Amino acid sequence: MSLFRKFFGSGNDSSEEEKISEFNSLQANLSAPVDEKFTFNFKKNGGKFLYCENLTELKEQFENILEENDWFEKEAVCYEPKLFSMLDENKLAYNKPTNPKFLLSSCENLIADEGSILFSSNQIKQNKPNDLPANIVVIATTSQIIESKSDGLRVIKRNTTKIILRISPPLNILRKQKKKTSFNMEAHQKIFICCF
């Protein structure tokens, strides 16, 4: 260390401390349980994670999201009949919406090491990422949290060949399983996960 730095200090001391702090949080993240790892990475990427104890609490959290974003009595996109009741209860139109405020969907998996969401054509049909609304609300269970993207793709491959969309706020990538092609798309504004 130079004599000048001993007396006056280095201008990089705070950045060194930040690097050490970031390294320590990464180390802790590597040894954390998979659900904690997903939550940490998803929030770090800009998503909002809401854990719910039961279906009643899930419905309450969904209403809170609607209220926070002023989405009551608006239009939404949803392709899954099992979720229609949540939209009906809150007077949200979902049949051929012209100006949807958000996508309500389940997912295939939640990917812990990236903090991203794995969708398939079950949730988004054959839509291109740019055709989806900018805001997404995902209903998932803790059993859908997996360690890595390859684990999720393995599960989907066992079931059937589907179009796959992996969304991680703010980076979004579309993947077609057979061709293994990918491209970047615009970032979504808000992504919420209600997990129970």
Side-chain angles (χ1 to χ4, degrees):
M1 179 182 247
S2 74
L3 186 61
F4 183 81
R5 285 189 185 154
K6 282 185 182 179
F7 286 116
F8 297 106
S10 170
N12 295 334
D13 287 343
S14 62
S15 65
E16 286 294 322
E17 290 174 8
E18 288 174 9
K19 287 179 184 175
I20 291 170
S21 173
E22 186 176 318
F23 177 76
N24 288 339
S25 68
L26 287 173
Q27 288 297 96
N29 191 25
L30 291 175
S31 62
V34 70
D35 55 342
E36 288 179 22
K37 190 183 297 187
F38 172 78
T39 304
F40 175 81
N41 289 329
F42 184 71
K43 286 181 175 182
K44 184 179 79 174
N45 291 337
K48 294 184 181 182
F49 184 86
L50 306 165
Y51 179 76
C52 306
E53 293 280 331
N54 52 44
L55 286 174
T56 304
E57 194 173 323
L58 174 77
K59 289 178 181 183
E60 288 173 16
Q61 290 294 348
F62 181 64
E63 288 176 8
N64 291 339
I65 291 169
L66 295 176
E67 184 177 340
E68 176 184 321
N69 294 285
D70 194 28
W71 291 340
F72 278 110
E73 300 182 8
K74 304 286 183 182
E75 294 180 320
V77 172
C78 183
Y79 299 107
E80 300 172 80
K82 66 184 177 185
L83 300 176
F84 290 167
S85 64
M86 290 180 72
L87 297 170
D88 290 334
E89 290 171 11
N90 293 290
K91 300 178 183 169
L92 296 162
Y94 54 89
N95 289 325
K96 298 181 182 177
T98 56
N99 187 24
K101 297 294 179 190
F102 66 97
L103 166 70
L104 176 64
S105 177
S106 65
C107 67
E108 292 296 327
N109 293 107
L110 304 172
I111 303 169
D113 66 355
E114 297 177 349
S116 61
I117 307 163
L118 193 64
F119 291 105
S120 75
S121 56
N122 286 346
Q123 293 86 27
I124 61 167
K125 300 297 178 202
Q126 305 302 323
N127 288 303
K128 295 176 184 174
N130 293 335
D131 295 338
L132 298 174
N135 304 301
I136 300 174
V137 178
V138 177
I139 308 298
T141 62
T142 53
S143 64
Q144 290 177 281
I145 301 173
I146 56 172
E147 185 66 36
S148 68
K149 180 175 37 186
S150 60
D151 294 337
L153 294 173
R154 208 175 352 266
V155 169
I156 290 173
K157 188 175 182 180
R158 257 185 268 145
N159 296 336
T160 183
T161 303
K162 303 174 184 176
I163 294 176
I164 309 219
L165 173 69
R166 180 181 63 82
I167 293 187
S168 171
L171 176 64
N172 305 292
I173 298 175
L174 177 70
R175 294 189 182 271
K176 203 165 194 177
Q177 193 173 12
K178 286 184 179 177
K179 292 183 181 178
K180 303 266 191 224
T181 60
S182 65
F183 61 90
N184 288 334
M185 60 179 245
E186 293 177 39
H188 290 277
Q189 291 176 2
K190 296 179 184 176
I191 300 179
F192 299 89
I193 294 183
C194 296
C195 200
F196 67 102

